[in-house]
Amino acid sequence: MEAAKWLDMTNSESPEFIGRAVAALATDPDVLRFTGKVQVAAGLAEEYGFTDTDGKTPRPLGLTDV
């Protein structure tokens, strides 16, 4: 949280959010469609419809966004 003084944390994700992404993938019978691709947890949240612990869905970011 010390870094929040200097960094924009408005699009941050909790560890639980990452866990929800893993759980969604683990229970998807068609998970192999993601094989060989990098996945972003926020993108998976859009795909599967889960939110973070505060009810928000972070915006998916890619290399062009950072």
Side-chain angles (χ1 to χ4, degrees):
M1 293 311 297
E2 188 72 23
K5 294 178 185 178
W6 300 279
L7 300 173
D8 177 11
M9 303 294 284
T10 59
N11 198 50
S12 63
E13 301 168 352
S14 71
E16 290 85 355
F17 185 73
I18 305 302
R20 290 174 181 181
V22 172
L25 289 169
T27 58
D28 183 351
D30 192 30
V31 71
L32 291 180
R33 71 182 185 275
F34 295 116
T35 300
K37 301 174 188 172
V38 174
Q39 297 302 312
V40 175
L44 292 171
E46 290 179 347
E47 172 84 16
Y48 291 108
F50 61 87
T51 62
D52 208 339
T53 55
D54 59 3
K56 296 180 183 174
T57 304
R59 184 174 30 99
L61 300 175
L63 289 176
T64 58
D65 300 308
V66 285

